[in-house]
Protein backbone atom coordinates (compact mmCIF):
# COMPACT_ATOMS: atom_id res chain seq x y z
CA UNK A 1 0.00 0.00 0.00
CA UNK A 2 2.83 2.38 0.84
CA UNK A 3 4.41 1.71 -2.57
CA UNK A 4 1.10 2.34 -4.33
CA UNK A 5 0.62 5.61 -2.46
CA UNK A 6 4.14 6.72 -3.40
CA UNK A 7 3.64 5.79 -7.07
CA UNK A 8 0.33 7.68 -7.11
CA UNK A 9 1.96 10.76 -5.56
CA UNK A 10 4.77 10.64 -8.14
CA UNK A 11 2.21 10.32 -10.94
CA UNK A 12 0.28 13.35 -9.67
CA UNK A 13 3.51 15.34 -9.33
CA UNK A 14 4.54 14.25 -12.82
CA UNK A 15 1.25 15.40 -14.37
CA UNK A 16 1.19 18.66 -12.40
CA UNK A 17 4.70 19.70 -13.42
CA UNK A 18 4.21 18.59 -17.02
CA UNK A 19 0.97 20.59 -17.30
CA UNK A 20 2.58 23.66 -15.71
CA UNK A 21 5.68 23.55 -17.91
CA UNK A 22 3.65 23.02 -21.08
CA UNK A 23 1.14 25.75 -20.25
CA UNK A 24 3.57 28.69 -20.46
CA UNK A 25 5.05 28.05 -23.95
CA UNK A 26 1.62 26.99 -25.26
CA UNK A 27 0.07 30.24 -24.01
CA UNK A 28 2.89 32.18 -25.67
CA UNK A 29 2.32 30.41 -28.99
CA UNK A 30 -1.42 31.07 -28.83
CA UNK A 31 -0.99 34.75 -27.95
CA UNK A 32 1.65 35.42 -30.59
CA UNK A 33 -0.32 33.65 -33.31
CA UNK A 34 -3.43 35.68 -32.43
CA UNK A 35 -1.35 38.88 -32.58
CA UNK A 36 -0.10 38.07 -36.09
CA UNK A 37 -3.61 37.16 -37.30
CA UNK A 38 -5.11 40.34 -35.82
CA UNK A 39 -2.44 42.88 -36.79
CA UNK A 40 -0.95 41.31 -39.91
CA UNK A 41 -1.83 44.20 -42.24
CA UNK A 42 -0.22 46.75 -39.93
CA UNK A 43 2.99 44.81 -39.17
CA UNK A 44 6.32 45.05 -40.96
CA UNK A 45 8.11 41.98 -42.24
CA UNK A 46 10.74 42.26 -39.49
CA UNK A 47 8.03 42.39 -36.79
CA UNK A 48 6.36 39.27 -38.20
CA UNK A 49 9.70 37.45 -38.34
CA UNK A 50 10.42 38.41 -34.73
CA UNK A 51 7.10 36.98 -33.56
CA UNK A 52 7.62 33.85 -35.68
CA UNK A 53 10.99 33.30 -34.00
CA UNK A 54 9.35 33.65 -30.59
CA UNK A 55 6.75 31.04 -31.60
CA UNK A 56 9.56 28.74 -32.75
CA UNK A 57 11.39 29.14 -29.42
CA UNK A 58 8.26 28.33 -27.43
CA UNK A 59 7.60 25.24 -29.54
CA UNK A 60 11.19 24.09 -28.97
CA UNK A 61 10.65 24.38 -25.21
CA UNK A 62 7.55 22.22 -25.48
CA UNK A 63 9.35 19.68 -27.65
CA UNK A 64 12.21 19.43 -25.15
CA UNK A 65 9.84 18.79 -22.26
CA UNK A 66 7.80 16.19 -24.17
CA UNK A 67 11.00 14.43 -25.28
CA UNK A 68 12.25 14.30 -21.69
CA UNK A 69 8.91 12.98 -20.44
CA UNK A 70 9.00 10.22 -23.04
CA UNK A 71 12.59 9.38 -22.08
CA UNK A 72 11.60 9.09 -18.41
CA UNK A 73 8.69 6.83 -19.36
CA UNK A 74 11.00 4.57 -21.38
CA UNK A 75 13.50 4.36 -18.54
CA UNK A 76 10.99 3.63 -15.81
CA UNK A 77 8.97 1.14 -17.86
CA UNK A 78 12.09 -0.81 -18.83
CA UNK A 79 11.59 -0.15 -22.54
CA UNK A 80 15.00 1.42 -23.15
CA UNK A 81 16.42 -0.01 -26.37
CA UNK A 82 20.17 -0.25 -25.80
CA UNK A 83 22.88 -2.02 -27.78
CA UNK A 84 26.17 -2.13 -25.90
CA UNK A 85 29.46 -2.42 -27.70
CA UNK A 86 33.02 -1.13 -27.55
CA UNK A 87 33.67 1.74 -29.97
CA UNK A 88 35.69 4.94 -30.31
CA UNK A 89 33.69 7.66 -28.54
CA UNK A 90 35.92 10.51 -29.75
CA UNK A 91 33.95 11.28 -32.97
CA UNK A 92 30.72 11.51 -30.95
CA UNK A 93 32.32 13.83 -28.41
CA UNK A 94 33.87 16.01 -31.13
CA UNK A 95 30.50 16.27 -32.90
CA UNK A 96 28.65 17.38 -29.75
CA UNK A 97 31.33 19.94 -28.85
CA UNK A 98 31.25 21.37 -32.38
CA UNK A 99 27.45 21.51 -32.28
CA UNK A 100 27.58 23.72 -29.17
CA UNK A 101 30.33 26.08 -30.32
CA UNK A 102 27.92 28.53 -31.96
CA UNK A 103 25.44 28.35 -29.09
CA UNK A 104 28.24 29.16 -26.66
CA UNK A 105 29.37 32.11 -28.78
CA UNK A 106 25.90 33.67 -28.50
CA UNK A 107 26.61 34.07 -24.77
CA UNK A 108 30.27 34.98 -25.37
CA UNK A 109 31.27 31.67 -23.76
CA UNK A 110 34.45 29.96 -24.95
CA UNK A 111 34.06 26.19 -25.29
CA UNK A 112 37.40 24.34 -25.00
CA UNK A 113 38.05 20.72 -25.95
CA UNK A 114 41.15 18.90 -24.65
CA UNK A 115 42.31 15.45 -25.72
CA UNK A 116 45.68 13.75 -25.85
CA UNK A 117 44.99 10.52 -27.77
CA UNK A 118 43.73 9.72 -31.26
CA UNK A 119 41.19 7.15 -30.06
CA UNK A 120 39.15 6.50 -26.93
CA UNK A 121 37.46 3.11 -27.07
CA UNK A 122 34.77 2.55 -24.44
CA UNK A 123 31.71 0.44 -23.76
CA UNK A 124 28.44 2.11 -24.64
CA UNK A 125 25.65 2.76 -27.11
CA UNK A 126 26.49 5.51 -29.61
CA UNK A 127 23.01 7.08 -29.74
CA UNK A 128 22.61 7.08 -25.95
CA UNK A 129 26.15 8.36 -25.43
CA UNK A 130 25.40 11.29 -27.73
CA UNK A 131 22.32 12.11 -25.66
CA UNK A 132 24.31 12.01 -22.39
CA UNK A 133 27.10 14.26 -23.66
CA UNK A 134 24.65 16.62 -25.34
CA UNK A 135 22.78 17.07 -22.07
CA UNK A 136 25.88 17.69 -19.95
CA UNK A 137 27.51 20.16 -22.37
CA UNK A 138 24.16 21.88 -22.88
CA UNK A 139 23.84 22.36 -19.12
CA UNK A 140 27.36 23.78 -18.85
CA UNK A 141 26.55 26.42 -21.48
CA UNK A 142 23.03 26.99 -20.15
CA UNK A 143 24.08 27.75 -16.57
CA UNK A 144 27.33 29.62 -17.28
CA UNK A 145 27.30 33.42 -17.08
CA UNK A 146 28.21 35.33 -20.23
CA UNK A 147 31.90 35.65 -20.97
CA UNK A 148 32.96 32.53 -19.05
CA UNK A 149 34.81 29.36 -20.10
CA UNK A 150 33.58 25.77 -20.46
CA UNK A 151 36.12 22.95 -20.61
CA UNK A 152 35.48 19.50 -22.08
CA UNK A 153 38.24 16.94 -21.44
CA UNK A 154 38.61 13.27 -22.27
CA UNK A 155 41.21 10.89 -20.82
CA UNK A 156 41.67 7.15 -20.40
CA UNK A 157 43.42 4.34 -18.59
CA UNK A 158 43.22 0.58 -18.98
CA UNK A 159 39.92 0.30 -17.13
CA UNK A 160 37.93 3.39 -18.14
CA UNK A 161 37.47 6.38 -20.41
CA UNK A 162 36.63 9.57 -18.52
CA UNK A 163 34.81 12.64 -19.88
CA UNK A 164 34.81 15.84 -17.83
CA UNK A 165 32.63 18.89 -18.45
CA UNK A 166 33.69 21.82 -16.30
CA UNK A 167 32.02 25.23 -16.13
CA UNK A 168 32.59 28.54 -14.34
CA UNK A 169 29.00 28.89 -13.21
CA UNK A 170 27.66 29.50 -9.70
CA UNK A 171 28.36 26.00 -8.41
CA UNK A 172 26.03 24.09 -6.12
CA UNK A 173 25.19 24.26 -2.44
CA UNK A 174 25.19 21.16 -0.25
CA UNK A 175 21.40 21.10 -0.42
CA UNK A 176 21.44 21.23 -4.22
CA UNK A 177 24.03 18.45 -4.39
CA UNK A 178 21.79 16.14 -2.36
CA UNK A 179 19.05 16.29 -4.99
CA UNK A 180 21.21 16.81 -8.08
CA UNK A 181 20.20 13.69 -10.03
CA UNK A 182 16.60 13.57 -8.80
CA UNK A 183 13.50 13.62 -10.96
CA UNK A 184 11.87 17.03 -11.53
CA UNK A 185 14.61 18.64 -9.45
CA UNK A 186 14.54 22.44 -9.33
CA UNK A 187 18.00 23.56 -8.23
CA UNK A 188 18.99 27.03 -7.05
CA UNK A 189 21.08 27.98 -10.16
CA UNK A 190 19.01 29.27 -13.07
CA UNK A 191 19.77 29.38 -16.82
CA UNK A 192 21.62 32.59 -17.65
CA UNK A 193 20.21 33.26 -21.12
CA UNK A 194 16.46 32.62 -20.73
CA UNK A 195 16.95 28.97 -21.72
CA UNK A 196 14.40 26.38 -20.71
CA UNK A 197 14.93 23.85 -17.91
CA UNK A 198 12.66 20.83 -17.32
CA UNK A 199 14.27 19.45 -14.16
CA UNK A 200 14.62 16.06 -15.83
CA UNK A 201 17.93 16.24 -17.70
CA UNK A 202 20.32 15.00 -15.03
CA UNK A 203 17.90 12.31 -13.86
CA UNK A 204 17.86 10.97 -17.42
CA UNK A 205 21.66 11.28 -17.73
CA UNK A 206 22.25 9.17 -14.62
CA UNK A 207 19.84 6.45 -15.73
CA UNK A 208 21.35 6.33 -19.24
CA UNK A 209 24.94 6.21 -17.99
CA UNK A 210 24.12 3.41 -15.57
CA UNK A 211 22.37 1.52 -18.39
CA UNK A 212 25.72 1.61 -20.22
CA UNK A 213 27.42 0.27 -17.04
CA UNK A 214 29.14 3.60 -16.45
CA UNK A 215 29.25 6.12 -13.60
CA UNK A 216 28.44 9.82 -13.38
CA UNK A 217 28.99 12.29 -10.57
CA UNK A 218 29.58 15.97 -9.91
CA UNK A 219 32.39 17.80 -8.10
CA UNK A 220 31.35 21.32 -7.16
CA UNK A 221 31.56 24.07 -4.59
CA UNK A 222 29.26 27.03 -4.21
CA UNK A 223 30.70 29.95 -6.16
CA UNK A 224 33.38 27.83 -7.85
CA UNK A 225 31.59 26.23 -10.79
CA UNK A 226 30.85 22.56 -11.35
CA UNK A 227 32.61 19.62 -12.97
CA UNK A 228 30.52 16.70 -14.18
CA UNK A 229 32.45 13.48 -14.69
CA UNK A 230 31.32 10.44 -16.67
CA UNK A 231 33.32 7.22 -16.70
CA UNK A 232 32.78 4.43 -19.21
CA UNK A 233 34.26 0.96 -18.99
CA UNK A 234 36.69 -0.10 -21.71
CA UNK A 235 35.36 -3.65 -22.03
CA UNK A 236 32.28 -5.79 -21.44
Amino acid sequence: NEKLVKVNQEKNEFLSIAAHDLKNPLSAIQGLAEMIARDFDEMSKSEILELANMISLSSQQMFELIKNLLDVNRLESGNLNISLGVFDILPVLEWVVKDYQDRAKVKNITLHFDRAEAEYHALGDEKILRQVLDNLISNAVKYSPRGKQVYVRVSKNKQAVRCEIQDEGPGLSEEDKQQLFGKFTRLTPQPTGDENSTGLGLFIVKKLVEAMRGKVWCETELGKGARFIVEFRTEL
Side-chain angles (χ1 to χ4, degrees):
N1 285 339
E2 289 178 356
K3 288 182 179 178
L4 287 173
V5 169
K6 183 178 180 181
V7 168
N8 189 55
Q9 288 174 339
E10 288 184 350
K11 180 202 71 175
N12 290 337
E13 180 186 15
F14 186 93
L15 291 174
S16 175
I17 294 175
H20 177 270
D21 284 3
L22 285 171
K23 180 181 178 181
N24 291 338
L26 187 58
S27 296
I29 290 171
Q30 182 180 6
L32 293 167
E34 289 174 352
M35 188 183 301
I36 292 174
R38 184 183 65 241
D39 302 329
F40 180 81
D41 291 335
E42 302 171 9
M43 298 173 68
S44 66
K45 182 178 180 180
S46 62
E47 288 174 329
I48 294 173
L49 286 175
E50 182 180 357
L51 294 180
N53 287 333
M54 293 169 68
I55 290 174
S56 177
L57 178 60
S58 293
S59 66
Q60 288 172 17
Q61 292 176 355
M62 292 180 65
F63 179 81
E64 181 183 351
L65 175 59
I66 292 170
K67 178 178 177 297
N68 282 340
L69 293 174
L70 292 174
D71 285 340
V72 169
N73 182 63
R74 282 191 305 138
L75 289 166
E76 297 194 329
S77 63
N79 292 327
L80 179 64
N81 185 18
I82 184 169
S83 179
L84 287 179
V86 176
F87 66 100
D88 183 11
I89 73 169
L90 184 60
V92 177
L93 187 53
E94 288 178 328
W95 187 91
V96 177
V97 171
K98 183 178 179 181
D99 187 47
Y100 275 92
Q101 291 284 1
D102 288 340
R103 307 186 206 189
K105 286 179 182 177
V106 171
K107 297 173 69 174
N108 197 27
I109 292 171
T110 305
L111 183 56
H112 304 271
F113 181 43
D114 298 327
R115 65 178 179 88
E117 307 290 339
E119 296 180 340
Y120 292 87
H121 286 86
L123 177 68
D125 178 295
E126 183 171 341
K127 183 178 179 181
I128 292 176
L129 173 66
R130 189 185 304 272
Q131 184 176 352
V132 167
L133 296 173
D134 184 281
N135 198 303
L136 292 175
I137 295 175
S138 171
N139 276 357
V141 173
K142 183 183 296 184
Y143 291 95
S144 290
R146 297 179 182 276
K148 295 293 186 178
Q149 316 287 316
V150 171
Y151 300 90
V152 180
R153 305 182 183 96
V154 58
S155 59
K156 67 179 181 179
N157 56 38
K158 290 183 179 180
Q159 289 77 38
V161 172
R162 171 181 287 202
C163 296
E164 299 181 6
I165 297 91
Q166 182 175 353
D167 64 53
E168 296 179 340
L172 299 170
S173 66
E174 290 300 321
E175 182 179 353
D176 282 335
K177 284 191 280 187
Q178 294 299 318
Q179 52 183 339
L180 185 57
F181 292 99
K183 184 166 55 176
F184 288 120
T185 298
R186 301 297 191 184
L187 302 177
T188 303
Q190 297 295 313
T192 56
D194 295 326
E195 299 98 336
N196 187 47
S197 176
T198 64
L200 287 168
L202 291 177
F203 172 80
I204 293 170
V205 162
K206 186 174 177 62
K207 293 292 186 181
L208 293 179
V209 170
E210 290 175 347
M212 293 189 288
R213 305 181 191 176
K215 297 185 294 183
V216 59
W217 69 95
C218 178
E219 297 175 354
T220 179
E221 289 183 43
L222 193 61
K224 296 184 179 180
R227 179 170 61 167
F228 284 85
I229 302 167
V230 190
E231 278 193 353
F232 303 101
R233 294 164 53 173
T234 55
E235 58 186 24
L236 289 168

